[in-house]
Amino acid sequence: MKLTINGERRDLDAATVAEALAALDMGEARVATALNGDFVPASARAQTALSPGDALEIVAPMQGG
Amino acid sequence: MPLFYGTEIASPLMLGTAQYPSPAILADAFRASSAGIATVSLRREAGGGQDFLRLVEGLGAAILPNTAGCHSVKEAVTTAQMARELLGTDWIKLEVIGHSDLLSPDVIALVEAAAELTAQGFKVFPYCTEDLSVAERLLRAGCEVLMPWGAPIGSGLGLNNPHGLRALRAAFPEVPLVVDAGIGRPSHAASAMELGFDAVLLNTAVARAGDPVAMARAMAQAAEAGRAACLADPIEPREMAAPSTPVIGKAFLQ
């Protein structure tokens, strides 16, 4: 499925947010996700279906002021 | 010491975690200053986030995630939701930026976002201006801390409007107040604390100093000195001299 992940166009074999994270090798990472601008809690990733063209953001804590 | 949403913090210095020459220097700066709170951002995970998370969780400071770079209510709220899940804290330093040159807060969107986040159970630390009516609206929206800027983020200009900050302190004597942004020198940190502020939050002034660890220590000492001075009830300035040595008893020598 064609998705935009962290601003990059990717072709990923994933039907849900959880599957996308696993496909990106981030299944175990401490990250947070938002789909098309809306927060997807970790507990909802397995039930949150992806559609072609979706924009998935995957973030982690970083340096900040 | 500052009391934020019922949590007492052991230091009046709050320190950012960006722009240090290395992770080791960042950790040393926190050790040297005993800063009580560390601010962090959320950014796209590109491999470094997991190590950074371990680093900040080992600093011994409470973590305050920010919504830096957000320009809309929606962006700020979504970022806060992600931060709460990732870091297990309902504290959020709320930044809604209105102008990209000055990085000044969009105070209208800020009040709206603060109300929305408070309704969702967040404890909001709003990066605001010293405007009294904005402050009042933020408090009404549920904020129990205010963080007015001293000067634009990263400018190092110090306290651009000390009179406005003093007025804010006087208007809200019970509200914890933090000068956030603009502090460049220890004297600026001391001045903010002398005005009666509860804490100072800075980053660039330490991280970009030639010796960040020594500067972190100096900032902590200055914040402590300013706090002690405020508690010691400083004298009021006056225009004319007043002799400190007694005049009575001076020998007549003409």
Side-chain angles (χ1 to χ4, degrees):
Chain A
M1 189 185 306
K2 286 191 167 32
L3 302 165
T4 302
I5 295 176
N6 282 351
E8 252 178 62
R9 289 175 164 263
R10 301 279 297 258
D11 205 345
L12 221 58
D13 186 17
T16 65
V17 172
E19 286 178 21
L21 285 176
L24 293 163
D25 215 15
M26 284 198 268
E28 303 299 316
R30 278 178 69 185
V31 292
T33 49
L35 185 62
N36 302 322
D38 290 320
F39 173 53
V40 179
S43 57
R45 286 176 194 158
Q47 298 87 51
T48 304
L50 296 170
S51 306
D54 276 354
L56 180 63
E57 294 286 329
I58 305 166
V59 302
M62 296 283 176
Q63 293 79 357
Chain B
M1 284 297 167
L3 188 66
F4 298 132
Y5 291 98
T7 300
E8 188 172 8
I9 301 296
S11 164
L13 181 67
M14 303 162 66
L15 208 48
T17 58
Q19 306 183 78
Y20 292 81
S22 72
I25 292 176
L26 188 172
D28 285 347
F30 272 82
R31 251 191 299 276
S33 64
S34 301
I37 289 180
T39 55
V40 303
S41 70
L42 289 195
R43 290 293 178 261
R44 287 168 168 172
E45 171 63 301
Q50 307 303 302
D51 286 344
F52 181 73
L53 191 49
R54 276 188 288 276
L55 175 70
V56 292
E57 286 182 336
L59 291 175
I63 296 176
L64 176 61
N66 70 27
T67 63
C70 290
H71 287 256
S72 70
V73 174
K74 162 92 175 149
E75 265 186 301
V77 169
T78 303
T79 302
Q81 291 169 328
M82 293 196 287
R84 176 160 64 181
E85 180 181 88
L86 259 181
L87 295 159
T89 176
D90 45 17
W91 285 11
I92 188 76
K93 172 182 164 181
L94 179 61
E95 290 184 36
V96 186
I97 298 301
H99 194 283
S100 47
D101 285 343
L102 292 177
L103 297 178
S104 49
D106 175 340
V107 294
I108 295 163
L110 182 70
V111 171
E112 197 186 318
E116 173 61 30
L117 288 170
T118 301
Q120 293 188 22
F122 284 91
K123 298 184 167 85
V124 179
F125 294 61
Y127 162 63
C128 56
T129 64
E130 67 277 28
D131 187 286
L132 290 185
S133 51
V134 169
E136 216 153 72
R137 281 167 199 263
L138 286 167
L139 296 174
R140 239 183 287 149
C143 297
E144 295 179 19
V145 182
L146 298 173
M147 302 210 297
W149 63 351
I153 295 171
S155 68
L157 286 170
L159 309 184
N160 267 354
N161 182 6
H163 304 288
L165 293 171
R166 194 191 304 275
L168 190 70
R169 178 71 289 175
F172 306 106
E174 304 301 328
V175 177
L177 297 178
V178 180
V179 168
D180 175 11
I183 287 176
R185 305 283 169 104
S187 53
H188 302 151
S191 296
M193 296 303 295
E194 284 173 22
L195 287 175
F197 276 67
D198 296 271
V200 290
L201 169 46
L202 53 105
N203 185 345
T204 307
V206 164
R208 306 290 274 193
D211 184 341
V213 179
M215 186 59 82
R217 191 179 295 116
M219 286 293 187
Q221 290 168 337
E224 288 288 355
R227 177 174 176 275
C230 178
L231 294 172
D233 188 17
I235 63 163
E236 288 306 316
R238 46 181 286 156
E239 294 282 318
M240 295 293 171
S244 47
T245 303
V247 177
I248 295 168
K250 182 190 174 295
F252 185 76
L253 300 171
Q254 289 194 350

